[in-house]
Amino acid sequence: MNLLVSTEWLAAELGKSDLRVIDASLFLPAHNRNARAEFEAAHIPGAVFFDIEEVSDSSSPFPHMLPSAEKFASRMQALGLGDGSRVVVYDNSPIKSSARAWWMLTLFGAHQVAILDGGFAKWQAEGRAIESGIPVVRHRHFTVWADKALVRDKAQITENLRTHAEQVVDARPEARFTGAEPEARPNLRRGHIPGSRNIPIDRLFNEDGTWRPLDDIRAEFTSAGLDLSKPIVATCGSGITAAVLAFAGALLGHPGVAIYDGAWSEWGASPTTPIVTGPAV
């Protein structure tokens, strides 16, 4: 199974015993939409809803932080995801939240996880089958395991300012990266991590929500000043769109784009972290 699968491929695979389909749509308050309600109204047949807000560290003051391996495994078992499953994740969100679920599943030990190219919008536009309601699933065993080698914390990002061992790329819109526009969350300073680069995620997609050709995605990384042969850490506002850049790196064959999980919600809230404004230099 490829990292990115088409609607045609998924339609042909639906119903196979080892295939699991996940709707990982997530909306921010400004979107004024309810992901769970939209899922219950219409979803791909057999899909289950992956609640990114709930499958997170509820004890953290920062949004969407990774949960413990035990909590993640428990939630996946309840969704009917088990060891050996092939998983296809999709979303219907402007922030392409399926990438966050892809990253979490991969980090916590799922071996075959793909994203549906074009998501639910493309599936619907093609007139493919949908269903409504809350699915009934059978619990399966999901091994408790985590490899956090591709997770970074504030201390590591701070140390990287000294060593420059890893390139940092920010997925936020350009105006937020430069500090020209304020952050939506309160009490966050404007700007970006010193030395970081910027690839707003909308630059990676076609108008219909499908991913651009690999050569175009590679060109975006290159024009941002990133070397795909060297370590990269992605960041964003709250850890969601950073995963889009991590997935893009995987498509391009990068061995693993790490994610700063606290993201700007943590960095921008601190009174002591260094911040710069203006374009990347």
Side-chain angles (χ1 to χ4, degrees):
M1 188 171 67
N2 294 329
L3 282 172
L4 190 64
V5 299
S6 68
T7 51
E8 292 81 6
W9 182 92
L10 180 58
E13 293 291 305
L14 275 185
K16 293 192 175 178
S17 60
D18 65 333
L19 185 73
R20 300 290 176 268
V21 182
I22 291 175
D23 183 327
S25 297
L26 173 72
F27 301 117
L28 301 178
H31 297 141
N32 196 30
R33 294 170 65 182
N34 185 310
R36 185 179 291 275
E38 290 190 15
F39 168 81
E40 292 178 7
H43 54 262
I44 293 175
V48 294
F49 182 66
F50 185 117
D51 189 339
I52 292 174
E53 295 274 14
E54 198 281 327
V55 187
S56 65
D57 181 0
S58 57
S59 67
S60 173
F62 308 113
H64 315 133
M65 294 290 285
L66 284 170
S68 67
E70 291 76 14
K71 178 176 180 177
F72 187 84
S74 172
R75 298 301 189 271
M76 294 309 99
Q77 290 176 134
L79 291 178
L81 301 179
D83 299 338
S85 296
R86 291 182 301 154
V87 182
V88 175
V89 190
Y90 73 88
D91 66 69
N92 196 24
S93 170
I95 58 174
K96 309 298 183 185
S97 51
S98 55
R100 177 71 182 190
W102 164 83
W103 180 69
M104 292 173 71
L105 283 158
T106 302
L107 183 149
F108 285 115
H111 297 296
Q112 296 190 76
V113 188
I115 287 178
L116 178 64
D117 197 14
F120 192 54
K122 187 171 189 289
W123 184 273
Q124 281 188 304
E126 294 169 347
R128 299 188 184 276
I130 61 173
E131 64 182 18
S132 60
I134 303 173
V136 177
V137 298
R138 179 171 61 86
H139 281 50
R140 289 178 169 82
H141 177 71
F142 191 100
T143 298
V144 178
W145 186 87
D147 178 5
K148 296 194 176 178
L150 293 180
V151 184
R152 299 291 180 271
D153 60 22
K154 188 173 75 171
Q156 291 170 308
I157 298 298
T158 301
E159 175 65 9
N160 192 62
L161 294 176
R162 183 185 66 83
T163 64
H164 304 290
E166 298 181 315
Q167 305 164 98
V168 179
V169 59
D170 194 319
R172 290 176 299 157
E174 183 178 6
R176 288 171 58 195
F177 177 84
T178 63
E181 291 183 0
E183 293 293 312
R185 291 183 175 85
N187 304 316
L188 296 183
R189 293 184 289 162
R190 301 187 189 193
H192 57 267
I193 297 169
S196 58
R197 304 292 176 168
N198 185 214
I199 305 179
I201 62 166
D202 58 2
R203 296 179 185 173
L204 305 179
F205 296 91
N206 299 309
E207 288 187 4
D208 66 353
T210 56
W211 284 80
R212 293 175 63 191
L214 291 184
D215 285 348
D216 292 350
I217 296 172
R218 185 176 290 106
E220 291 292 344
F221 275 72
T222 300
S223 64
L226 296 163
D227 185 341
L228 284 161
S229 69
K230 296 179 180 178
I232 298 174
V233 178
T235 186
C236 61
S238 63
I240 302 298
T241 55
V244 177
L245 298 185
F247 186 77
L251 289 176
L252 296 174
H254 193 280
V257 174
I259 289 179
Y260 168 32
D261 204 30
W264 199 253
S265 296
E266 179 180 42
W267 194 270
S270 170
T272 60
T273 50
I275 286 175
V276 295
T277 57
V281 294

